[in-house]
Amino acid sequence: MPDSSPPPTPPVSFPEFAPVSTAQWQAQLTRELKGADPASLRWTLPDGLTLEPFYHREALTALGGLPAPLPPRPAPCRNVVALSVPAGTDGRLQIAQGADALARGADGLHFILHGDSTPFGVADLAARLPLAGTWLSYTVAQGPELLLARLATAAEGNPLRGFLRFIPPAGPEGAELLAFRQALRQCVELARAWPDFSALAVNGTFFGNRGGTLTQQLAFSLSTAAALLTELPAENGASPSLADVARALHLEVAVGPSYFPEIARLRATRRLWATLLHGYGLPPAGAATLPIHASTSTWTQTTLDPHTNLLRHTTEAMSAVLGGADSVQVAPFDCLYQAPNEFSARLARNLPVILQEEAHLDWVADPAAGSYFIETLTDELARAAWAEFQALEAQGGMAIARGRALEAVSQAGLDKFKRIATGQDVVVGTNRFQNFQEKFDFQPKQLLRSGDFDTTRATYPSEVLRLATALHFERRANQDKQATLVLLGDSRVNEDIAEAFWHLLHPGAPVQPPMPDIAPDSYSVLFSKPDAATLMYARPAQFDQLARVVQQVPSGHVFEIPSLITSDLATLLEAVRVFGFQEFVVEGHHTEEVLARLQGR
């Protein structure tokens, strides 16, 4: 019988091109720059890592040779649709939506259960979708072992596929284990015989969606995993064992739009996971099978010019797939301000479908392998993250030194806010290339009042100023006779306002704008009157007292500070005077002109 196998592929070579040395590349680079310093092309990440303008084969020599590529994934990156189940509901609507999504391109579902998971209709889920054959995952805030036991019963002994993520109220899973250690052990035991189900989560999104750098996200995720590996195994040989806990883990990451660094971060993750397993005496080969679930970052989403989120999500999903994630979850572009809807859900679901069916990103295992640039960046991120991890472990790890980790993440977020406010970091459609004719698909007043509006994002300070300004001009156009106070935010917004004033007075000025002499904990407030608007600032206690008086809240009652206060003009004028609010002034210039500028007027 003749051999029907294809002939071997000859090695690729281009003999007509002479090899080019690093010195020749550098000389060409110098010529192209026409006298400019090549160092000016270096790129510094928020982590402090410096990326060179080009890399050559010597970069691999510095790494000790070509690193081994990541092993092929057992299946293409799974396209997962997230479905939020409101507290107190049975999720029947979301189950129906999930079944429809699976019929239209999704590969798995992720039910995010708010509040008590007891009402969730597990029987309805099992009747609608075969639990053993469908990749289904769940996020719960309480009673993870109870939900998993109900799912196991409904599956009638068949193994489940997917993951369980328990989000305790206090922080990442490894931070306070004593309160729920037994519940997580039960989850590991229930899922022991399910090879395609991960009962424990290492929630790296906790750090990524609060502004943590890539190094911090990786290091603190490792520290969370270390806490779980240390605390969850039972003593005296009882079950679950250390190996059981390790097999039950999966990692969740939030992927941002920084394309190449995100690919390198995911590749570095598997390398460091192998090192972590080795440190616990487990086979490092287990890193190859660590399930990584990637979701598009909420930290980088914007309310202004929201269709730009589609572009961000595209690069984020591509980084996830090329970096070796096992599943990817793309958020709808308008989820910050819209209820779930068919249009944006379909676009989010189809994005990974296009990457797989049209771009064929699943055809190559570890496509970044061998890249001088990405291999070097992978190594540098891994080294920096391991050093950060060791520093935290030396202070007691996530269980004891959680405050240090969260403080570091908070500082990284504040640095990002500052870079956006001063224009060092560009956010398309928000602080640069704005659409000043944009018509909002939402009511700014309702959004600012909503308790669900995500205020933790990188662009929130810039957005809230624009939204409050739009609200003022809308009220003025409608001849609204009421007066309104809009709480814009804290010192982060003060910096954004100072930046807006500065560039109005000094267009194109490269220097840092001077900050007015304002207490660092002061709130920024927009006082919108029928005929004008005034930017003001006040200490938190001043704003709290004014809000209580105007809204007639008795002293001593539990009171959530509102973001919007409306009353008649005379009342608010007197309240502002009595409680000592001050106008925000830069170099003698007041509010209306800068607000008009922010709206492109």
Side-chain angles (χ1 to χ4, degrees):
M1 182 176 179
D3 184 6
S4 60
S5 60
T9 303
V12 177
S13 64
F14 301 95
E16 64 271 28
F17 296 103
V20 181
S21 68
T22 299
Q24 289 173 305
W25 275 114
Q26 290 173 331
Q28 182 63 33
L29 182 63
T30 301
R31 286 193 294 271
E32 294 290 340
L33 289 175
K34 299 178 180 178
D37 185 359
S40 63
L41 299 181
R42 287 175 176 156
W43 173 24
T44 301
L45 297 180
D47 310 76
L49 302 179
T50 300
L51 310 185
E52 297 297 332
F54 90 102
Y55 291 83
H56 207 224
R57 63 173 61 92
E58 285 84 355
L60 297 183
T61 303
L63 298 179
L66 181 64
L70 297 177
R73 309 307 308 137
C77 187
R78 187 173 284 107
N79 178 12
V80 177
V81 170
L83 298 160
S84 181
V85 180
T89 64
D90 60 7
R92 189 172 300 178
L93 172 62
Q94 289 74 30
I95 292 170
Q97 291 173 338
D100 179 67
L102 289 171
R104 300 170 64 188
D107 303 312
L109 305 177
H110 179 192
F111 293 99
I112 302 173
L113 310 179
H114 299 276
D116 184 8
S117 64
T118 303
F120 183 61
V122 169
D124 291 332
L125 178 66
R128 189 73 184 259
L129 300 171
L131 296 186
T134 310
W135 198 89
L136 301 171
S137 298
Y138 315 87
T139 288
V140 296
Q142 51 186 289
E145 78 285 10
L146 303 178
L147 175 65
L148 199 55
R150 292 173 60 209
L151 290 166
T153 301
E156 299 178 340
N158 294 307
L160 302 183
R161 300 174 62 224
F163 65 73
L164 177 70
R165 178 175 71 166
F166 170 53
I167 302 181
E173 292 86 339
E176 295 181 4
L177 276 170
L178 292 179
F180 47 83
R181 179 166 53 188
Q182 193 56 39
L184 293 184
R185 284 175 173 172
Q186 291 181 40
C187 291
V188 174
E189 287 297 296
L190 284 166
R192 179 200 294 272
W194 302 342
D196 296 324
F197 191 90
S198 304
L200 296 175
V202 176
N203 186 12
T205 61
F206 181 90
F207 309 107
N209 286 331
R210 287 164 174 77
T213 67
L214 296 182
T215 296
Q216 290 172 343
Q217 292 177 54
L218 182 46
F220 299 155
S221 295
L222 289 173
S223 190
T224 301
L228 294 170
L229 290 169
T230 300
E231 297 294 334
L232 287 189
E235 299 175 355
N236 303 320
S239 187
S241 67
L242 175 63
D244 292 333
V245 173
R247 280 194 299 268
L249 289 171
H250 80 280
L251 174 64
E252 299 201 24
V253 296
V255 180
S258 191
Y259 184 64
F260 293 112
E262 290 287 3
I263 294 174
R265 184 266 292 253
L266 288 173
R267 299 177 79 248
T269 296
R270 291 200 187 275
R271 295 186 185 179
L272 291 187
W273 199 265
T275 305
L276 182 68
L277 293 178
H278 177 73
Y280 277 87
L282 297 170
T289 57
L290 169 71
I292 297 180
H293 177 67
S295 57
T296 52
S297 173
T298 62
W299 171 252
T300 57
Q301 278 190 297
T302 64
T303 300
L304 302 175
D305 205 5
H307 287 90
T308 56
N309 291 324
L310 289 168
L311 309 178
R312 295 184 185 96
H313 291 168
T314 299
T315 69
E316 290 165 354
M318 289 178 67
S319 294
V321 175
L322 297 177
D326 297 274
S327 53
V328 61
Q329 177 179 304
V330 177
F333 74 91
D334 58 358
C335 63
L336 291 173
Y337 59 86
Q338 290 278 33
N341 61 89
E342 166 59 22
F343 176 67
S344 59
R346 178 169 58 85
L347 293 181
R349 184 178 63 247
N350 282 346
L351 197 158
V353 174
I354 290 173
L355 296 182
Q356 179 174 330
E357 300 295 339
E358 297 187 21
H360 306 299
L361 294 191
D362 61 320
W363 282 15
V364 178
D366 196 11
S371 162
Y372 305 146
F373 167 44
I374 297 182
E375 292 288 12
T376 300
L377 182 54
T378 298
D379 183 77
E380 291 179 347
L381 279 172
R383 291 177 182 276
W386 189 253
E388 185 77 25
F389 164 72
Q390 289 181 309
L392 189 66
E393 290 300 296
Q395 297 182 25
M398 188 59 68
I400 295 175
R402 176 185 59 161
R404 175 189 174 276
L406 298 186
E407 182 180 351
V409 170
S410 176
Q411 185 57 54
L414 289 174
D415 291 343
K416 181 67 172 179
F417 291 139
K418 184 177 295 185
R419 291 196 301 272
I420 292 174
T422 57
Q424 297 176 68
D425 286 1
V426 174
V427 181
V428 175
T430 298
N431 70 345
R432 286 281 300 278
F433 315 112
Q434 298 99 324
N435 177 12
F436 291 117
Q437 282 70 50
E438 179 177 1
K439 302 297 182 183
F440 299 127
D441 293 332
F442 51 85
Q443 290 294 328
K445 181 176 181 180
Q446 294 179 2
L447 192 63
L448 290 170
R449 272 184 166 164
S450 172
D452 296 328
F453 188 40
D454 187 353
T455 62
T456 65
R457 296 168 296 108
T459 58
Y460 174 75
S462 300
E463 288 179 0
V464 71
L465 183 57
R466 281 274 303 279
L467 293 175
T469 305
L471 175 62
H472 164 68
F473 283 111
E474 177 185 314
R475 293 178 64 252
R476 200 167 72 172
N478 294 336
Q479 298 184 341
D480 188 342
K481 301 302 181 183
Q482 292 285 94
T484 300
L485 281 176
V486 182
L487 177 60
L488 303 177
D490 55 18
S491 58
R492 301 172 305 189
V493 182
N494 292 334
E495 293 177 358
D496 207 2
I497 294 170
E499 172 74 6
F501 270 88
W502 179 258
H503 285 296
L504 175 70
L505 303 173
H506 310 280
V511 298
Q512 185 85 0
M515 274 296 296
D517 186 17
I518 300 174
D521 64 339
S522 291
Y523 287 159
S524 297
V525 182
L526 180 72
F527 185 11
S528 176
K529 302 184 285 292
D531 58 342
T534 305
L535 284 164
M536 312 192 83
Y537 61 92
R539 300 295 291 268
Q542 293 172 302
F543 190 88
D544 178 84
Q545 291 171 329
L546 180 145
R548 285 180 179 274
V549 169
V550 172
Q551 297 190 344
Q552 300 180 355
V553 177
S555 178
H557 280 225
V558 176
F559 179 61
E560 184 175 347
I561 295 179
S563 59
L564 193 145
I565 303 170
T566 300
S567 185
D568 62 275
L569 177 59
T571 297
L572 278 187
L573 279 173
E574 180 64 10
V576 165
R577 183 189 66 81
V578 169
F579 291 105
F581 284 34
Q582 299 294 315
E583 182 170 0
F584 197 110
V585 179
V586 175
E587 294 190 359
H589 290 258
H590 295 259
T591 302
E592 191 79 5
E593 54 185 326
V594 74
L595 295 183
R597 170 190 173 274
L598 288 171
Q599 290 300 302
R601 295 169 182 259

